[in-house]
Amino acid sequence: MAVKNNALVHDVREAGTPRREFLRKSLLLALPVALYTTGIPKVLAAVYAPPVRARGSTTLNVKDWGARGDGATDDTTAFQYAIDALPSTGGTVVVPAGDYVIDPTRNVRLRSNMHLLLQDGARLRAKRNDKERAYVLMAYKVSNVEISGGQIIGDRETHLGTTGEWGHGIMIRGSSKVTVRDIHVSKCWGDGISIGGAMVTNAPTIPCSDVVIANVVCTGNRRQGLTIGHALGVKVYDSEFSDCNGIAPACGIDIEPDVGDLRTTSTVHIENCHIHGNAGNGILVYKRVKGVTIKRCTIEYNGGHGILTIGPDSGYIAQNTIRHNYLVGMMFGSGTRSYQYSGNISRNNNTRLHGVQKTVYPLTYMTGFVDGNKGNGAHVARVSDVYDIRVTSNGYAK
């Protein structure tokens, strides 16, 4: 189904739920002029200034520690030497322009109180491998970490294996006070960015906390643009999550603790993001998740629902534009409770039933649900076992 739906998505562009290159030229033409700050174009004007994390004043350059950046030499060890050479107070490791081959089966391990600064033209390229789990950058049980600039390019086009879904660009586990900003992550075997808990023997799992994702582009990854697992206090601003396809769920953003345990996710804020062209849902909010806000985002041309909730507790979805999704724009799925849906604009959703609508009809403003596949039923719907869902005035059009 994912392949079929994704094909439909691309047809729509040219013209106008069980579990499981930078911005495209067409996107640049279709959207307002991009703003440039650190070499990463912003699809929308930024509404959020990400925090600078605490660190020492020492600055080291990976090339002084043997990195070549020639696109052929394995630079993993040189990167690690530079990071490990920082003093106990931390500091900044600078990556100049170049193509750096990183072995994700070893990964570059970040440490506390550091900034990995990729300058314009710096690209980290995942070395091809056959492993189910492999990560270009790893932040594991650290704090006060910042990653910024440049690009990470995964190995999905050259991957030697056929199984697994965990070949991520950036893996953040059990860490606190982490900022990822102004970076482009593409073509990973798994997720562009994955956030979650760190397991500890004979002790509770350590969640991530206070993680900020700002002005990033995650596109063309195999599983998800962004996964948010066991975490507390995650903010996602001014970013794009697009064109995920290859293995389910294939969502732009998946907010979901790991299956088979009791871990939870709480307090996630997503604002001013563009989520489009994913084979699955634009955003999936799953069980054991509490306190999710989705605000002022554009969610369009996805092969599933624009937004799907299954079993989460409490959320606020407001002022979004949700359009041209293959299934219902906003689907409140089984077990969802205590959600408010307000001030959203929805157009031409559930295209699998209603077809692609090229005419721009005027909006109709309605309060509450209209059940079935008529009225706003293509745009906001619910199943029978949800409760305390408040739908105030929203705008709808075919």
Side-chain angles (χ1 to χ4, degrees), residues 178-341:
V178 178
T179 295
V180 180
R181 62 176 177 85
D182 308 319
I183 191 168
H184 184 287
V185 187
S186 64
K187 301 180 182 179
C188 294
W189 185 247
D191 303 340
I193 302 172
S194 181
I195 301 166
M199 298 187 70
V200 181
T201 303
N202 299 321
T205 299
I206 302 172
C208 276
S209 62
D210 186 9
V211 177
V212 171
I213 308 295
N215 191 36
V216 308
V217 176
C218 290
T219 187
N221 298 294
R222 182 168 167 264
R223 189 177 77 157
Q224 251 102 245
L226 170 65
T227 293
I228 303 173
H230 183 34
L232 170 65
V234 176
K235 295 178 180 179
V236 184
Y237 279 90
D238 309 325
S239 295
E240 173 188 337
F241 304 95
S242 61
D243 297 323
C244 295
N245 62 87
I247 190 166
C251 300
I253 301 176
D254 182 6
I255 308 172
E256 176 180 356
D258 288 340
V259 69
D261 60 36
L262 299 178
R263 288 181 282 179
T264 60
T265 301
S266 64
T267 317
V268 175
H269 187 102
I270 302 169
E271 184 168 351
N272 199 42
C273 292
H274 189 202
I275 301 161
H276 66 96
N278 301 288
N281 305 294
I283 299 177
L284 172 62
V285 187
Y286 206 64
K287 300 174 182 177
R288 292 175 284 114
V289 174
K290 183 176 183 179
V292 172
T293 297
I294 302 170
K295 185 177 180 182
R296 294 201 295 178
C297 294
T298 298
I299 304 168
E300 59 186 353
Y301 300 114
N302 296 290
H305 299 285
I307 303 173
L308 171 63
T309 63
I310 301 177
D313 179 4
S314 70
Y316 181 58
I317 300 171
Q319 302 175 48
N320 301 286
T321 298
I322 305 173
R323 60 194 178 192
H324 310 304
N325 295 288
Y326 188 68
L327 301 179
V328 173
M330 174 70 243
M331 172 57 77
F332 292 103
S334 178
T336 303
R337 62 181 181 179
S338 301
Y339 262 71
Q340 181 168 330
Y341 186 80

Side-chain angles (χ1 to χ4, degrees), residues 2-12:
V3 174
K4 182 187 297 183
N5 292 354
N6 210 40
L8 177 61
V9 166
H10 290 292
D11 290 343
V12 172

